[in-house]
Amino acid sequence: MPLIAFVSPKGGVGKTTLAAHVAALLAARSHRVLAIDLDPQNALRLQFGLPLREEAGFLGAITRQTAWRQAMVETPVGVRLLPYGTVDPLTALETAQALHAEPELLAAPVREMLADPDQVVILDNPPGPTPAMSALLPMIDLMVVVLLADAASAAQIPQIISNRWLGRGRLAARAGEKAVVVLNQVDLDAPLASAVFDGAAQALGTRLIGAVCRDDAVAEALADKRMLLEDRDGPGAEDLHAVTDAIAARLRLPLPGARRRGGFSALADWGLR
Ligand SMILES: Nc1ncnc2c1ncn2[C@@H]1O[C@H](COP(=O)(O)OP(=O)(O)OP(=O)(O)O)[C@@H](O)[C@H]1O
Ligand SMILES: [Mg+2]
């Protein structure tokens, strides 16, 4: 426990970047962290600097094996990772169909992972709804919805507020209540980003738990097979720390060595904090 999912109705917004950094920053604070890639892009491993040639994985092979411990990879930052695995498109499709028909294929091993009370489990998802997320919905403690500070993201916010974006019925509504939002790639100088940010803050209230500024260092770190784990790595790194702190606070996870942060760097720049 607990189970944290990084999700979004939108693609390319920073789900994988945030999932990897929050996982690594929690691991740096002495938490036992297991990260699971549920996206056939199999990109989470790249954030942890793992080589492309390693093609084995967990979810992409779930119809053939459920021995999840065998698929686990130790990463250099102390996070244990279950990559999706490198699979062809047909296998990815068949995997999704198998999960739709039999959610327990995934729910059972994840329940086992969550039985360890000291382990934090982090999920990286592809954009939009998936059978894998449906299978895990009842177990999720915190759903971090990543959006951009742009018009297309702003248009998604009413659905998030009404808790309807995960579907109809009580299960989806309950899961929706566990959703918080992080705005990513916020451009400090753009009037649109500023307006969207203000609108989102007003509409979402305490469900907006963080904002990460647009910082080339974030994209460059990925190209360098590095992670931004120190505040001194720049404003993006500082915001990623702040998001990690906010997630830990929501879940009441202890953070040894945590210091009080004044707030998000984007807010400070806009004179809002
Ligand atoms: N705050 C940021 N500043 C600058 N670049 C960023 C920031 N966050 C993410 N990026 C870059 O944006 C790109 C997309 O990020 P990422 O892969 O994490 O998005 P995603 O939501 O997981 O995408 P997908 O929907 O394809 O899974 C990457 O190149 C990443 O390095
Ligand atoms: Mg991704």
Side-chain angles (χ1 to χ4, degrees):
M1 291 283 269
L3 181 61
I4 308 170
F6 286 82
V7 300
S8 182
K10 303 188 60 57
V13 292
K15 297 177 292 297
T16 304
T17 305
L18 263 75
H21 281 85
V22 169
L25 288 167
L26 288 175
R29 304 274 191 78
S30 314
H31 284 285
R32 197 130 51 93
V33 183
L34 176 61
I36 313 178
D37 191 349
L38 300 178
D39 186 341
Q41 283 185 80
N42 199 21
L44 187 57
R45 68 198 170 128
L46 304 178
Q47 290 281 340
F48 293 108
L50 300 180
L52 272 179
R53 65 174 181 280
E54 280 173 25
E55 300 193 339
F58 168 60
L59 195 65
I62 203 150
T63 56
R64 286 177 278 119
Q65 51 111 344
T66 46
W68 56 274
R69 284 189 180 83
Q70 281 172 20
M72 214 157 58
V73 181
E74 296 286 344
T75 70
V77 291
V79 172
R80 293 180 307 156
L81 172 69
L82 286 170
Y84 184 95
T86 306
V87 302
D88 57 78
L90 184 60
T91 305
L93 201 59
E94 284 170 354
T95 303
Q97 282 166 343
L99 287 174
H100 187 57
E102 201 183 337
E104 272 299 300
L105 270 178
L106 177 62
V110 171
R111 210 175 288 121
E112 244 179 79
M113 297 169 207
L114 294 174
D116 177 344
D118 295 326
Q119 181 157 257
V120 180
V121 181
I122 290 186
L123 308 173
D124 181 30
N125 285 277
T130 63
M133 267 306 280
S134 299
L136 301 180
L137 222 45
M139 289 183 246
I140 286 174
D141 296 292
L142 191 69
M143 191 148 20
V144 183
V145 186
V146 185
L147 293 172
L148 304 181
D150 65 10
S153 284
Q156 299 291 334
I157 289 175
Q159 291 275 8
I160 291 165
I161 291 167
S162 67
N163 287 342
R164 280 198 310 267
W165 63 291
L166 287 166
R168 297 171 64 186
R170 285 180 200 282
L171 179 60
R174 169 57 62 89
E177 284 165 12
K178 294 181 179 161
V180 294
V181 174
V182 173
L183 293 180
N184 186 30
Q185 301 187 35
V186 181
D187 182 348
L188 303 178
D189 299 321
L192 174 60
S194 172
V196 171
F197 186 95
D198 287 346
Q202 206 167 22
L204 289 162
T206 55
R207 286 173 82 172
L208 179 64
I209 61 159
V212 180
C213 64
R214 187 195 296 274
D215 180 354
D216 281 348
V218 175
E220 287 166 7
L222 176 60
D224 273 346
K225 290 193 165 185
R226 286 186 300 117
M227 298 188 81
L228 303 179
L229 301 181
E230 307 291 337
D231 269 354
R232 63 172 180 273
D233 284 328
E238 200 183 322
D239 289 340
L240 288 164
H241 271 91
V243 167
T244 307
D245 289 358
I247 289 172
R250 282 264 162 171
L251 293 170
R252 293 184 166 63
L253 288 176
L255 275 187
R259 62 179 171 77
R260 263 192 82 78
R261 291 171 196 283
F264 315 115
S265 62
L267 294 190
D269 267 45
W270 296 336
L272 292 172
R273 291 247 170 127

